[in-house]
Amino acid sequence: MDPLLQFNGLTKTIIIPESKTLFAQASGTINEGDRIAVTGPSGQGKSTLLRILALLDEPDSGELFLKGKPKNRWEPRLWRMEVCYVSQFPVMLNGTVEDNLKTVSRLHQTAFDAAYASRLMAHVELGEMSWSKEASSLSGGEKQRIALVRSLLLRPKLLLLDEVTASLDEASKLAVEQLLRETNRSEGTGYVWISHDREQGKRIAERSWQLSGSELSEGAVTCL
């Protein structure tokens, strides 16, 4: 069986503020249901790697395959229904919480599952939030959780999580971790999760990628 997502020989160099190779010849595989923690020093390109895997950025070289098909045989919208990137600093659209929750349904012309959205909101400790609240008034932690719920409503095969609990208190962080573990068990949704929290990495992952010195390597979770 083909891996869910595979990348071979990815290289990315930036030139601002100065030329720097973030990673070179990076290769890896992600199988359905994988739980992977990504670690490494700041500025090494972890977020850029996830954005490339979500087709939100382009590598200088390398290949990407989803379900055995190269990226040039995928419509980007359909790729992103399977592989969802959730930013550390998510963008909220103009309008209410409800408008933002319904965004993926409008973009992908799918039915909005209000009951499922309510359950997800409760799981991330936002069950009491009014959906008529203006998104512009949300705190950073509220935006992170709503962005996560928004992505989960697509029921993707893979989540690419960029420090999605960085703005949360400990209780909310643990609630998000529990939701993602439960979604992994019940729906088979895998994730690749950037985290600088060593203890969190041990809780949420079964595999570990380290990105350092322009090289991507795999190690044991216990060594995070």
Side-chain angles (χ1 to χ4, degrees):
M1 180 181 295
D2 290 321
L4 174 63
L5 183 62
Q6 182 174 7
F7 54 99
N8 300 322
L10 293 185
T11 297
K12 183 68 174 181
T13 299
I14 58 173
I15 59 174
I16 298 175
E18 59 185 18
S19 181
K20 176 183 179 181
T21 297
L22 297 178
F23 42 85
Q25 297 299 311
S27 298
T29 60
I30 305 167
N31 298 307
E32 287 198 24
D34 271 357
R35 296 180 289 119
I36 302 171
V38 184
T39 63
S42 297
Q44 293 294 302
K46 298 184 297 297
S47 297
T48 301
L49 176 60
L50 262 57
R51 289 180 57 81
I52 288 173
L53 298 184
L55 303 190
L56 296 171
D57 201 345
E58 284 287 336
D60 299 324
S61 61
E63 300 175 310
L64 283 168
F65 300 86
L66 179 61
K67 296 182 175 180
K69 290 169 49 178
K71 72 169 186 174
N72 60 8
R73 291 178 52 195
W74 281 86
E75 181 184 338
R77 182 183 67 84
L78 296 179
W79 181 293
R80 294 180 192 128
M81 288 182 71
E82 303 274 357
V83 181
C84 290
Y85 173 75
V86 186
S87 172
Q88 179 182 359
F89 305 106
V91 174
M92 292 289 108
L93 303 179
N94 290 332
T96 64
V97 169
E98 183 173 7
D99 292 331
N100 276 269
L101 292 175
K102 289 182 174 179
T103 296
V104 293
S105 298
R106 290 195 299 268
L107 287 176
H108 299 290
Q109 299 177 354
T110 58
F112 177 65
D113 190 337
Y116 186 45
S118 294
R119 291 199 301 273
L120 292 173
M121 290 286 280
H123 272 296
V124 296
E125 301 194 323
L126 294 177
E128 301 302 316
M129 175 177 283
S130 170
W131 289 15
S132 63
K133 186 174 183 178
E134 286 296 317
S136 60
S137 69
L138 299 174
S139 69
E142 289 169 338
K143 290 177 181 178
Q144 280 189 326
R145 284 175 282 171
I146 287 173
L148 176 61
V149 168
R150 192 168 58 188
S151 293
L152 284 170
L153 286 170
L154 271 176
R155 289 184 160 92
K157 291 293 185 182
L158 180 66
L159 289 167
L160 305 173
L161 306 172
D162 193 349
E163 296 192 67
V164 295
T165 60
S167 297
L168 305 186
D169 59 34
E170 193 65 19
S172 297
K173 179 190 297 186
L174 293 174
V176 167
E177 291 176 14
Q178 181 178 355
L179 170 61
L180 290 170
R181 284 195 298 267
E182 290 179 358
T183 305
N184 177 261
R185 286 193 296 268
S186 64
E187 307 227 359
T189 305
Y191 52 75
V192 180
W193 190 331
I194 296 173
S195 176
H196 290 285
D197 183 332
R198 294 168 67 89
E199 293 304 314
Q200 181 179 64
K202 294 176 185 178
R203 291 193 300 267
I204 56 93
E206 59 187 359
R207 296 172 58 193
S208 170
W209 290 348
Q210 292 88 43
L211 185 55
S212 181
S214 79
E215 293 186 358
L216 180 69
S217 59
E218 182 154 357
V221 175
T222 54
C223 295
L224 287 174

